[in-house]
Amino acid sequence: MDYKKTLLMPKTKFKMRGGLPMKEPKMQEQWDQEHIYEQSLKVNEGKPTFILHDGPPYANGNIHIGHAENKVLKDIINRFKSMSGYQTYYVPGWDTHGLPIEQQLAKKGIDRKKMSVADLREKCKEYALGQVEQQKKQFKRLGVRGDWEHPYLTLHKAFEAEQIKVFGEMAKNGYIYKDKKTVYWSPSSESALAEAEIEYKDVKSYSIYVTFHVTDGKGVLNNDEEVIIWTTTPWTMPSNLAIAVNPKFEYSVVQVEDRKFVVASELVETLTKTFEWNEPKVLRTVNGKALEHVVCRHPFYDRPSLMILGDHVTLDAGTGCVHTAPGFGADDFYVGKKYGLDILCPVDDHGCMTDEAPGFEGLFYEKTNEPVIEKLKQVGALLKVGTFTHSYPHDWRTKKPVIWRATEQWFASIKAFRDDILSAIHEVHWIPSWGDVRMTNMIKDREDWCISRQRAWGVPIPVFYGEDGEAIITDQTIQHVADLFREHGSNVWFKWDVKDLLPEGFTSEHSPNGIFKKETDIMDVWFDSGSSHQGVLTTREGLRRPADLYLEGSDQYRGWFNSSLATSVAVTGHAPYKQVLSHGFTLDGKGLKMSKSVGNVIDPMKVMQQYGADIIRLWVASVDYQADARVSNEILGQVAEVYRKIRNTVRFMLGNLNDFTVDKIVSTQDMPELEQYMLVKLNHFIDTCLNNYNDYQFLNVYKALQNYCSLDLSAFYMDIAKDALYVQPKDSLVRRSAQTVLYKTVVAMTKLLSPIIPHTAEEIWQHIPDALNASKYVQLTDMPEKEPIVDAEALEKKWTALLAVRDDVFKSLEKARDAKQIGKSLEASVTLYAKPETAFLKNIEDLDKLLIVSQVLVKDCEGAPESADQYDRLAVLVSVAEGQKCERCWAVLPSVGEDPEHPTLCAHCAETVQHDYPGVSLD
């Protein structure tokens, strides 16, 4: 007879293979057509809002795996918050100004010098918009939900207008000023740079020691003595105007043969070795302070070099006497101003020497090193030359060295409201907590922010100049320019005459003849994106300032987190965010930085073609993203295997719900204890996931999902429940109870999976009985809630002990299997010799099902034979089960064959077949 017809085997259309690369784009197309983002807002209408403000990626090139990690993290949070009852707005943004776009045009053969600035800017805009569309498609392919039809771009007219208002408000508060200072200057970019645009790399530099003859010793030094300086930038020697010494140090006059040198006393021994001096003699010592105003002669120019005092002089290296060129270096600049020195800077925008450096005109600054060294040799001022490797600042875009250069620039004075920024930092919840300290350290010693750039593609600095050269920034001019930009865009600044940019009839005491000029510099792009709290949060419907969360890479502590904080505090007195969450960088599988030349780059678009977006998303959840995250093809393969196990677990549940509907749900109190216990475990699973989602600990959610599927379901309940699901009568209490557990489990799990793998979650949702009656999309439902269960604590305690017994029994079964006593566990009969703490076993029904054996006897421990396996809680004796194997349930039982009509079935199965399948042909 064919008894398979009487078994209730799993049936489902939910496929074993995900087929995500094919399914996901179709789902996303459907979501777009049905405006799923707008629907998510509507279902939570009237509820509290949650605002994660998007830090704008730069609109240049395809997205990389770091972009994918960032956007997926944001999407996981937004989806969870939406399903937790928050109206969750998400407006994606792009940073669309800046030098890289100008450089891309140059690579395409566009010569900016052969067109007007306005025309170049139009080309830049066209390129940027194309890049935005390209990246938008790629971000959407990741399954990121948001207002993609209305993103914010820093080139949008309304955004630029709001940025102008931020600038104007900061100027009104006295925070904006123009001055000549030394700033980072990038010859490769032909522009000033801010600290946030600097990265450091090791370089090999010259190291030279140079002598300066004393010409006026002021009674402290003699005119036959020489001061030794050390520098790693020979090219700055033509700019030397002074020698700085520390007023707290002692200096020695050292005679070496027929020459007398002045150096710091503590460095005499070190310098003796450096110069290989033979029997140097210290003639006398002087206090550093006494050297102030001593005059030396420049080594190769007929001009003085003044000895000045500076606390920046250290004994870490060199001679204790510091070469000072006020036009090149922050310390040099400030100490030079103190002494009224000229700010000599004989290097032009391109990095070439000017005629203020006679003998070196036209040379690129780096190419000036050798000629300067040669000149020093000729005049006998070079004591020693060598090279050494050290860390040096580079332009983060061009990857080429930068210099300190004194130029006139526009600055935002951080010092003027630094205390307010520091106070605002402590009002923010930083995740990780060290973010507070990191941001504080970046602000506490910061003086100012150079916000001007000498380029074309950006928001112009809205400043006019009077006939007397005075800068004009008024409420009237700022509002007028903002209005013009809102209507026409910022390109009018470069297209229109000055008079057309000023309010009609505008007059100023600085221009009695009504003639004005306009600033030609643009703003730092960090000022652009740093103004997004004003340009987006205060202008978009549903958004607000402060946002609930800013989430970006840890490099943004010096970037977007920083510039946003500064501009927001400047105009509102508060931070633009309540929480800041940072993530690390993406590395290859060996922990190395990704590089195209090395060939270890993971392209998210290729990954999605092979595996699908949900695998990338599951990988993001699987890593400790607050640190650097490793990713490789091997790692993604491992994640895909975890996905497969989750999918198969879900498939088992769906397959066993093929004849189930919600009207068949069994109330918890009517269920067998095993099913009640599984609902207690489900409560723990829900609780763990919700708590970790709330804490942004997605790795813990991932682990909880993995453990719940593998341990609680696959390795435990599903194994036990097969008898109830396959063998027991269709409408029996035990079967419907098991189905109720599976139903509640798959519904809860699908909701908890939805923020991480939304495509798969929606596919599951389509196959859950009656789920579509609740909502077409699981992402539009609420997160699951725990179900109150009577005596849950006592129940869990009892079943924890029972599972410990089960583990012991499994050990004994494995021993019997190794000894060839049994094959499968259903061939076994088990006798449990209970100790007092496990006496409750006598009252447990269906122990054979729990232990997956055919027969179980429970006896007192006193009667345990020596052959029984001894454990802490009980003794276990495994023997071969008596009877025959039932063809239907596979248990070995003495009752097999008792029913002559079904000689291969046990009594229970024979009764089930006769009662529940009377009309089924078994032929």
Side-chain angles (χ1 to χ4, degrees):
M1 294 186 184
D2 185 4
Y3 289 110
K4 289 181 181 178
K5 296 178 181 179
T6 69
L7 295 175
L8 300 167
M9 301 305 290
K11 296 177 184 176
T12 180
K13 293 181 180 179
F14 185 77
K15 303 293 185 184
M16 185 180 295
R17 296 179 64 85
L20 297 174
M22 297 294 291
K23 291 177 183 175
E24 289 172 344
K26 294 178 182 177
M27 285 189 186
Q28 292 167 5
E29 185 178 353
Q30 184 178 0
W31 296 349
D32 281 350
Q33 290 172 353
E34 300 192 18
H35 305 288
I36 199 74
Y37 169 70
E38 289 75 14
Q39 285 194 56
S40 74
L41 294 175
K42 190 171 183 179
V43 295
N44 288 315
E45 201 167 7
K47 297 179 181 178
T49 59
F50 178 82
I51 310 298
L52 190 163
H53 183 37
D54 191 34
Y58 196 70
N60 186 28
N62 293 316
I63 68 169
H64 52 66
I65 196 68
H67 285 126
E69 180 187 28
N70 175 267
K71 279 292 193 286
V72 168
L73 284 171
K74 292 172 181 175
D75 195 52
I76 290 174
I77 292 171
N78 282 334
R79 287 177 178 273
F80 170 72
K81 289 293 184 180
S82 177
M83 293 178 71
S84 298
Y86 289 89
Q87 196 171 26
T88 305
Y89 290 89
Y90 179 63
V91 179
W94 272 273
D95 193 354
T96 51
H97 290 131
L99 177 65
I101 289 174
E102 291 187 50
Q103 292 173 328
Q104 287 300 318
L105 295 184
K107 289 180 182 178
K108 293 177 180 292
I110 295 175
D111 188 348
R112 65 188 177 97
K113 296 178 181 178
K114 292 183 178 179
M115 61 176 64
S116 69
V117 172
D119 288 343
L120 174 63
R121 287 168 55 85
E122 288 294 341
K123 292 285 187 183
C124 289
K125 179 180 177 180
E126 180 183 337
Y127 177 85
L129 291 175
Q131 296 298 300
V132 167
E133 287 306 309
Q134 175 179 300
Q135 290 187 3
K136 183 194 295 185
K137 291 177 184 176
Q138 295 169 345
F139 285 137
K140 289 180 70 176
R141 180 63 188 86
L142 287 164
V144 178
R145 192 176 73 190
D147 192 0
W148 292 107
E149 295 306 308
H150 308 96
Y152 80 86
L153 277 59
T154 57
L155 61 71
H156 278 162
K157 299 172 184 176
F159 188 101
E160 292 178 330
E162 293 300 323
Q163 183 176 332
I164 294 300
K165 290 167 69 175
V166 171
F167 178 91
E169 191 66 22
M170 290 180 70
K172 185 177 179 179
N173 292 338
Y175 303 149
I176 302 293
Y177 67 97
K178 190 174 189 180
D179 197 2
K180 187 173 186 179
K181 290 187 179 185
T182 51
V183 296
Y184 285 117
W185 184 270
S186 172
S188 55
S189 295
E190 298 178 29
S191 179
L193 300 180
E195 181 71 40
E197 298 169 295
I198 298 299
E199 61 184 20
Y200 286 82
K201 295 180 182 180
D202 285 346
V203 297
K204 192 174 185 180
S205 296
Y206 281 106
S207 164
I208 62 172
Y209 292 86
V210 180
T211 60
F212 285 68
H213 282 276
V214 175
T215 57
D216 183 357
K218 304 296 183 183
V220 179
L221 297 180
N222 298 320
N223 287 6
D224 61 346
E225 294 164 355
E226 303 169 70
V227 178
I228 306 176
I229 64 93
W230 172 72
T231 183
T232 60
T233 54
W235 63 270
T236 62
M237 285 303 299
S239 310
N240 175 276
L241 295 177
I243 301 168
V245 294
N246 194 305
K248 299 174 184 176
F249 295 167
E250 178 187 83
Y251 289 82
S252 295
V253 178
V254 183
Q255 182 165 355
V256 181
E257 297 177 355
D258 61 346
R259 299 178 73 175
K260 300 172 186 176
F261 302 114
V262 179
V263 295
S265 297
E266 284 190 34
L267 296 174
V268 170
E269 184 177 345
T270 301
L271 293 171
T272 297
K273 295 176 183 177
T274 300
F275 299 130
E276 299 178 349
W277 283 339
N278 186 25
E279 297 182 0
K281 181 180 180 181
V282 175
L283 301 180
R284 67 185 186 282
T285 61
V286 297
N287 183 270
K289 190 173 183 180
L291 295 174
E292 186 177 25
H293 300 305
V294 167
V295 181
C296 298
R297 186 181 68 246
H298 190 282
F300 50 76
Y301 290 145
D302 185 17
R303 68 169 184 245
S305 185
L306 184 69
M307 294 195 75
I308 58 179
L309 306 181
D311 292 331
H312 65 284
V313 179
T314 69
L315 300 175
D316 296 339
T319 67
C321 306
V322 175
H323 153 57
T324 300
F328 300 108
D331 292 328
D332 298 39
F333 176 83
Y334 288 116
V335 76
K337 284 194 75 172
K338 177 182 175 182
Y339 281 90
L341 302 176
D342 289 339
I343 309 302
L344 177 61
C345 184
V347 173
D348 65 18
D349 293 356
H350 305 283
C352 295
M353 307 301 283
T354 68
D355 56 9
E356 289 184 297
F360 308 100
E361 304 95 323
L363 290 174
F364 187 63
Y365 78 95
E366 285 184 314
K367 300 292 185 182
T368 310
N369 285 321
E370 289 81 1
V372 166
I373 291 171
E374 186 59 34
K375 183 68 173 179
L376 291 169
K377 284 180 183 177
Q378 291 174 8
V379 298
L382 185 68
L383 271 187
K384 187 177 178 67
V385 62
T387 59
F388 85 120
T389 301
H390 64 125
S391 183
Y392 191 81
H394 286 66
D395 184 330
W396 75 330
R397 293 189 181 93
T398 64
K399 310 300 180 185
K400 294 186 178 180
V402 301
I403 60 176
W404 279 95
R405 178 172 178 248
T407 60
E408 273 204 321
Q409 301 289 341
W410 283 96
F411 296 90
S413 173
I414 301 299
K415 181 180 179 181
F417 59 105
R418 187 165 53 204
D419 290 344
D420 294 337
I421 301 177
L422 293 173
S423 295
I425 289 172
H426 302 317
E427 295 172 0
V428 175
H429 180 209
W430 300 88
I431 311 170
S433 58
W434 49 252
D436 185 303
V437 176
R438 186 168 182 181
M439 187 61 84
T440 297
N441 288 338
M442 288 189 168
I443 296 296
K444 68 179 183 180
D445 297 321
R446 192 174 181 189
E447 294 288 322
D448 45 42
W449 167 16
C450 179
I451 61 170
S452 51
R453 297 292 180 272
Q454 292 66 48
R455 301 298 302 187
W457 182 228
V459 178
I461 292 177
V463 173
F464 299 94
Y465 294 98
E467 294 163 16
D468 59 0
E470 188 70 22
I472 299 171
I473 314 172
T474 69
D475 288 348
Q476 187 183 7
T477 61
I478 289 294
Q479 186 60 54
H480 186 69
V481 171
D483 291 342
L484 288 177
F485 285 11
R486 191 180 304 278
E487 182 178 356
H488 304 286
S490 63
N491 215 16
V492 295
W493 188 265
F494 300 95
K495 284 183 174 180
W496 293 4
D497 292 335
V498 180
K499 61 181 176 59
D500 298 321
L501 296 170
L502 284 163
E504 188 174 350
F506 181 81
T507 61
S508 170
E509 60 183 345
H510 301 292
S511 287
N513 299 313
I515 299 173
F516 298 91
K517 293 182 180 179
K518 60 185 175 184
E519 177 61 71
T520 57
D521 286 355
I522 61 170
M523 291 190 220
D524 176 12
V525 291
W526 289 114
F527 201 103
D528 292 17
S529 58
S531 301
S532 63
H533 57 84
Q534 175 84 18
V536 182
L537 295 180
T538 66
T539 62
R540 291 295 190 96
E541 183 181 354
L543 304 188
R544 54 172 162 73
R545 180 175 59 193
D548 292 290
L549 181 65
Y550 276 34
L551 191 171
E552 301 300 332
S554 55
D555 56 333
Q556 296 307 312
Y557 284 97
R558 68 171 187 159
W560 190 56
F561 297 159
N562 200 310
S563 62
S564 298
L565 180 67
T567 55
S568 181
V569 172
V571 300
T572 72
H574 300 282
Y577 34 67
K578 297 178 183 178
Q579 297 181 89
V580 171
L581 175 59
S582 64
H583 61 80
F585 299 102
T586 51
L587 306 173
D588 74 1
K590 297 177 181 178
L592 301 175
K593 183 178 179 181
M594 292 189 188
S595 168
K596 289 182 180 178
S597 60
V598 176
N600 61 350
V601 172
I602 297 295
D603 182 348
M605 301 309 295
K606 290 182 179 178
V607 173
M608 287 188 281
Q609 288 174 3
Q610 180 180 357
Y611 290 113
D614 274 1
I615 300 304
I616 289 183
R617 297 177 67 99
L618 193 59
W619 164 74
V620 172
S622 77
V623 298
D624 179 8
Y625 67 84
Q626 291 179 17
D628 292 342
R630 297 187 182 194
V631 60
S632 64
N633 290 323
E634 291 75 20
I635 290 171
L636 290 168
Q638 293 164 10
V639 172
E641 180 61 21
V642 172
Y643 173 85
R644 186 187 66 81
K645 291 178 180 177
I646 293 172
R647 190 176 180 92
N648 284 347
T649 302
V650 169
R651 189 169 185 268
F652 176 91
M653 291 190 281
L654 293 175
N656 284 289
L657 292 173
N658 68 87
D659 65 337
F660 186 80
T661 51
V662 292
D663 61 308
K664 295 181 173 64
I665 288 176
V666 177
S667 62
T668 303
Q669 64 267 25
D670 293 335
M671 291 179 174
E673 270 196 5
L674 171 61
E675 277 64 39
Q676 291 185 43
Y677 171 69
M678 287 310 299
L679 292 181
V680 172
K681 296 291 285 184
L682 177 60
N683 278 348
H684 288 322
F685 172 61
I686 291 171
D687 203 35
T688 297
C689 289
L690 294 183
N691 287 338
N692 281 291
Y693 267 128
N694 270 315
D695 292 338
Y696 309 133
Q697 296 294 328
F698 310 128
L699 172 57
N700 291 341
V701 176
Y702 173 83
K703 288 178 178 177
L705 281 164
Q706 200 174 356
N707 291 337
Y708 186 64
C709 286
S710 300
L711 304 178
D712 294 330
L713 294 178
S714 296
F716 174 57
Y717 184 66
M718 289 178 177
D719 217 11
I720 299 169
K722 286 176 182 176
D723 180 80
L725 294 166
Y726 302 172
V727 178
Q728 299 304 318
K730 180 178 179 180
D731 291 313
S732 62
L733 176 66
V734 66
R735 184 169 184 273
R736 291 305 188 194
S737 295
Q739 286 184 309
T740 300
V741 168
L742 295 184
Y743 174 78
K744 291 183 176 181
T745 298
V746 76
V747 168
M749 185 184 293
T750 305
K751 291 181 175 185
L752 292 166
L753 284 170
S754 185
I756 296 174
I757 47 174
H759 307 89
T760 302
E762 294 299 350
E763 185 187 359
I764 297 168
W765 193 251
Q766 300 295 313
H767 294 85
I768 297 175
D770 297 328
L772 297 180
N773 293 333
S775 172
K776 184 175 180 180
Y777 295 105
V778 65
Q779 62 188 290
L780 300 181
T781 65
D782 293 332
M783 277 288 150
E785 296 181 357
K786 294 189 294 182
E787 176 184 340
I789 297 173
V790 178
D791 295 329
E793 191 173 334
L795 185 66
E796 186 171 16
K797 184 178 180 181
K798 176 181 177 180
W799 276 81
T800 299
L802 190 53
L803 290 180
V805 168
R806 186 173 185 260
D807 288 342
D808 290 339
V809 172
F810 279 8
K811 292 174 187 175
S812 292
L813 289 171
E814 190 62 31
K815 286 173 65 176
R817 194 176 288 113
D818 291 342
K820 309 296 183 184
Q821 184 181 1
I822 61 169
K824 295 180 179 179
S825 63
L826 282 174
E827 296 175 15
S829 172
V830 174
T831 304
L832 307 179
Y833 296 93
K835 294 182 180 180
E837 62 266 33
T838 51
F840 68 89
L841 293 170
K842 297 176 182 179
N843 302 317
I844 300 295
E845 295 181 3
D846 297 327
L847 258 180
D848 54 337
K849 306 294 190 296
L850 176 66
L851 301 177
I852 317 177
V853 296
S854 289
Q855 300 157 29
V856 178
L857 289 174
V858 181
K859 299 181 179 181
D860 292 331
C861 63
E862 288 79 8
E866 290 186 8
S867 58
D869 298 323
Q870 297 291 328
Y871 299 100
D872 292 340
R873 307 170 187 83
L874 77 168
V876 179
L877 181 66
V878 177
S879 57
V880 177
E882 295 180 2
Q884 300 299 314
K885 179 180 177 181
C886 174
E887 187 180 340
R888 185 168 180 271
C889 70
W890 294 5
V892 177
L893 296 167
S895 66
V896 174
E898 289 182 357
D899 188 327
E901 291 187 24
H902 302 284
T904 59
L905 300 187
C906 66
H908 177 74
C909 283
E911 182 184 353
T912 300
V913 170
Q914 288 176 353
H915 183 269
D916 293 280
Y917 301 96
V920 175
S921 173
L922 301 178
D923 296 333

